[in-house]
Amino acid sequence: MTATATTVLTARALLLDMDGTLVNSDAAVERVWRRWADRHGLDGDEVMKVVHGRQGYASMALLLPDRPMEQNHADNARMLAEETADTEGVVAIPGAPEFLASLRGLPHALVTSADVPLSTARMAAAGLAQPDIRVTAESVGASKPDPEGFLKGAAELGVDPADCIAFEDSGAGIAAARAAGMRVVGVGPRAGVHAPDVVVEDLTRVRVEAGADGTVRLHIG
């Protein structure tokens, strides 16, 4: 549902995707992936329907199903380097700085398909502070929509997945959080079609309140 009247959700921890959720990196993602599509004779629009939320090698495996996976991993390494170097137009999602500031001292983690160099570069380009706990591409053996990253984030925080709320923008990310047993706040225009628990245009619509019992209360709308 779209948050119109205020919705209140309570959790013990929040798990935050990066691209499309905290950081608007769409311009950079489009530039890099459309170049890749051209190199492989693929339709750029169709490629862009697949790549959001996944690690690059996982997107390539869907788009070029007959190609050996080692080629996808090699290509992915080059793509990550390209993306890390290209921060033009990378900005914070509206409300993200205030949202992250309101989480100081509360249990939360970053769960991103980016690797450490890319996530560091994009968060810095957007002027956002990194959460202390980060689950990146190096931390997992499987890409979203596999739930491994979200489950690791919950484990790092010492919180049952059912007591976590994930913030996500993509179909792959929302599916991963759902598979981990978490409720999902969908952020931005891509999220609504994937049936998160609630959808917001951006993070200006989310207010965080620390509960006296150690819970995190989200006022959404």
Side-chain angles (χ1 to χ4, degrees), residues 190-204:
R190 281 189 291 270
V193 297
H194 301 289
D197 292 273
V198 62
V199 185
V200 293
E201 292 175 14
D202 57 43
L203 294 170
T204 64

PDB file of all heavy atoms in Angstrom, residues 190-204:
ATOM      1  N   ARG A 190      10.194   2.369  -8.395  1.00  0.00           N
ATOM      2  CA  ARG A 190      10.303   0.950  -8.777  1.00  0.00           C
ATOM      3  C   ARG A 190       9.642   0.022  -7.767  1.00  0.00           C
ATOM      4  O   ARG A 190       9.276  -1.101  -8.090  1.00  0.00           O
ATOM      5  CB  ARG A 190      11.787   0.548  -8.905  1.00  0.00           C
ATOM      6  CG  ARG A 190      12.448   0.970 -10.182  1.00  0.00           C
ATOM      7  CD  ARG A 190      13.831   0.354 -10.325  1.00  0.00           C
ATOM      8  NE  ARG A 190      14.782   0.890  -9.364  1.00  0.00           N
ATOM      9  CZ  ARG A 190      15.550   1.958  -9.579  1.00  0.00           C
ATOM     10  NH1 ARG A 190      15.465   2.605 -10.725  1.00  0.00           N
ATOM     11  NH2 ARG A 190      16.397   2.383  -8.671  1.00  0.00           N
ATOM     12  N   ALA A 191       9.504   0.485  -6.530  1.00  0.00           N
ATOM     13  CA  ALA A 191       9.131  -0.428  -5.443  1.00  0.00           C
ATOM     14  C   ALA A 191       7.671  -0.866  -5.480  1.00  0.00           C
ATOM     15  O   ALA A 191       7.344  -2.000  -5.143  1.00  0.00           O
ATOM     16  CB  ALA A 191       9.435   0.231  -4.098  1.00  0.00           C
ATOM     17  N   GLY A 192       6.785   0.025  -5.891  1.00  0.00           N
ATOM     18  CA  GLY A 192       5.362  -0.215  -5.714  1.00  0.00           C
ATOM     19  C   GLY A 192       4.821  -1.453  -6.387  1.00  0.00           C
ATOM     20  O   GLY A 192       3.901  -2.095  -5.876  1.00  0.00           O
ATOM     21  N   VAL A 193       5.379  -1.811  -7.544  1.00  0.00           N
ATOM     22  CA  VAL A 193       4.838  -2.951  -8.286  1.00  0.00           C
ATOM     23  C   VAL A 193       5.244  -4.292  -7.675  1.00  0.00           C
ATOM     24  O   VAL A 193       4.771  -5.333  -8.124  1.00  0.00           O
ATOM     25  CB  VAL A 193       5.270  -2.916  -9.768  1.00  0.00           C
ATOM     26  CG1 VAL A 193       4.720  -1.685 -10.456  1.00  0.00           C
ATOM     27  CG2 VAL A 193       6.789  -2.972  -9.911  1.00  0.00           C
ATOM     28  N   HIS A 194       6.103  -4.256  -6.639  1.00  0.00           N
ATOM     29  CA  HIS A 194       6.596  -5.512  -6.062  1.00  0.00           C
ATOM     30  C   HIS A 194       6.001  -5.807  -4.685  1.00  0.00           C
ATOM     31  O   HIS A 194       6.524  -6.634  -3.948  1.00  0.00           O
ATOM     32  CB  HIS A 194       8.120  -5.479  -5.987  1.00  0.00           C
ATOM     33  CG  HIS A 194       8.760  -5.293  -7.335  1.00  0.00           C
ATOM     34  ND1 HIS A 194       8.759  -6.276  -8.302  1.00  0.00           N
ATOM     35  CD2 HIS A 194       9.377  -4.225  -7.892  1.00  0.00           C
ATOM     36  CE1 HIS A 194       9.372  -5.829  -9.381  1.00  0.00           C
ATOM     37  NE2 HIS A 194       9.746  -4.589  -9.170  1.00  0.00           N
ATOM     38  N   ALA A 195       4.910  -5.135  -4.351  1.00  0.00           N
ATOM     39  CA  ALA A 195       4.093  -5.430  -3.171  1.00  0.00           C
ATOM     40  C   ALA A 195       4.854  -5.427  -1.850  1.00  0.00           C
ATOM     41  O   ALA A 195       4.758  -6.360  -1.058  1.00  0.00           O
ATOM     42  CB  ALA A 195       3.381  -6.781  -3.348  1.00  0.00           C
ATOM     43  N   PRO A 196       5.611  -4.355  -1.550  1.00  0.00           N
ATOM     44  CA  PRO A 196       6.131  -4.212  -0.188  1.00  0.00           C
ATOM     45  C   PRO A 196       4.988  -3.919   0.770  1.00  0.00           C
ATOM     46  O   PRO A 196       3.853  -3.694   0.341  1.00  0.00           O
ATOM     47  CB  PRO A 196       7.081  -3.010  -0.300  1.00  0.00           C
ATOM     48  CG  PRO A 196       6.522  -2.205  -1.422  1.00  0.00           C
ATOM     49  CD  PRO A 196       5.928  -3.192  -2.395  1.00  0.00           C
ATOM     50  N   ASP A 197       5.273  -3.916   2.052  1.00  0.00           N
ATOM     51  CA  ASP A 197       4.211  -3.666   3.035  1.00  0.00           C
ATOM     52  C   ASP A 197       3.677  -2.245   2.938  1.00  0.00           C
ATOM     53  O   ASP A 197       2.484  -2.003   3.152  1.00  0.00           O
ATOM     54  CB  ASP A 197       4.746  -3.922   4.454  1.00  0.00           C
ATOM     55  CG  ASP A 197       5.037  -5.397   4.668  1.00  0.00           C
ATOM     56  OD1 ASP A 197       4.106  -6.123   5.046  1.00  0.00           O
ATOM     57  OD2 ASP A 197       6.180  -5.828   4.416  1.00  0.00           O
ATOM     58  N   VAL A 198       4.570  -1.320   2.646  1.00  0.00           N
ATOM     59  CA  VAL A 198       4.181   0.080   2.485  1.00  0.00           C
ATOM     60  C   VAL A 198       5.171   0.708   1.506  1.00  0.00           C
ATOM     61  O   VAL A 198       6.312   0.266   1.395  1.00  0.00           O
ATOM     62  CB  VAL A 198       4.173   0.811   3.856  1.00  0.00           C
ATOM     63  CG1 VAL A 198       5.550   0.830   4.488  1.00  0.00           C
ATOM     64  CG2 VAL A 198       3.607   2.216   3.745  1.00  0.00           C
ATOM     65  N   VAL A 199       4.716   1.716   0.759  1.00  0.00           N
ATOM     66  CA  VAL A 199       5.553   2.388  -0.236  1.00  0.00           C
ATOM     67  C   VAL A 199       5.616   3.876   0.080  1.00  0.00           C
ATOM     68  O   VAL A 199       4.596   4.489   0.399  1.00  0.00           O
ATOM     69  CB  VAL A 199       4.995   2.218  -1.663  1.00  0.00           C
ATOM     70  CG1 VAL A 199       5.951   2.831  -2.686  1.00  0.00           C
ATOM     71  CG2 VAL A 199       4.752   0.761  -1.987  1.00  0.00           C
ATOM     72  N   VAL A 200       6.825   4.453  -0.022  1.00  0.00           N
ATOM     73  CA  VAL A 200       6.994   5.899   0.125  1.00  0.00           C
ATOM     74  C   VAL A 200       7.723   6.435  -1.104  1.00  0.00           C
ATOM     75  O   VAL A 200       8.512   5.733  -1.729  1.00  0.00           O
ATOM     76  CB  VAL A 200       7.776   6.263   1.403  1.00  0.00           C
ATOM     77  CG1 VAL A 200       6.975   5.920   2.642  1.00  0.00           C
ATOM     78  CG2 VAL A 200       9.140   5.573   1.440  1.00  0.00           C
ATOM     79  N   GLU A 201       7.441   7.689  -1.435  1.00  0.00           N
ATOM     80  CA  GLU A 201       8.135   8.315  -2.561  1.00  0.00           C
ATOM     81  C   GLU A 201       9.621   8.455  -2.275  1.00  0.00           C
ATOM     82  O   GLU A 201      10.472   8.261  -3.148  1.00  0.00           O
ATOM     83  CB  GLU A 201       7.547   9.698  -2.843  1.00  0.00           C
ATOM     84  CG  GLU A 201       6.129   9.682  -3.373  1.00  0.00           C
ATOM     85  CD  GLU A 201       5.579  11.095  -3.516  1.00  0.00           C
ATOM     86  OE1 GLU A 201       6.373  12.068  -3.455  1.00  0.00           O
ATOM     87  OE2 GLU A 201       4.356  11.220  -3.680  1.00  0.00           O
ATOM     88  N   ASP A 202       9.926   8.832  -1.046  1.00  0.00           N
ATOM     89  CA  ASP A 202      11.316   9.014  -0.639  1.00  0.00           C
ATOM     90  C   ASP A 202      11.358   8.995   0.887  1.00  0.00           C
ATOM     91  O   ASP A 202      10.343   8.755   1.551  1.00  0.00           O
ATOM     92  CB  ASP A 202      11.913  10.303  -1.217  1.00  0.00           C
ATOM     93  CG  ASP A 202      11.108  11.545  -0.828  1.00  0.00           C
ATOM     94  OD1 ASP A 202      10.701  11.666   0.350  1.00  0.00           O
ATOM     95  OD2 ASP A 202      10.872  12.405  -1.700  1.00  0.00           O
ATOM     96  N   LEU A 203      12.532   9.260   1.457  1.00  0.00           N
ATOM     97  CA  LEU A 203      12.705   9.102   2.907  1.00  0.00           C
ATOM     98  C   LEU A 203      12.263  10.318   3.703  1.00  0.00           C
ATOM     99  O   LEU A 203      12.319  10.299   4.943  1.00  0.00           O
ATOM    100  CB  LEU A 203      14.159   8.749   3.204  1.00  0.00           C
ATOM    101  CG  LEU A 203      14.565   7.377   2.653  1.00  0.00           C
ATOM    102  CD1 LEU A 203      16.071   7.173   2.766  1.00  0.00           C
ATOM    103  CD2 LEU A 203      13.814   6.249   3.353  1.00  0.00           C
ATOM    104  N   THR A 204      11.796  11.379   3.023  1.00  0.00           N
ATOM    105  CA  THR A 204      11.197  12.483   3.771  1.00  0.00           C
ATOM    106  C   THR A 204       9.881  12.051   4.414  1.00  0.00           C
ATOM    107  O   THR A 204       9.383  12.732   5.313  1.00  0.00           O
ATOM    108  CB  THR A 204      10.925  13.703   2.869  1.00  0.00           C
ATOM    109  OG1 THR A 204       9.956  13.346   1.867  1.00  0.00           O
ATOM    110  CG2 THR A 204      12.196  14.185   2.190  1.00  0.00           C
TER     111      THR A 204
END
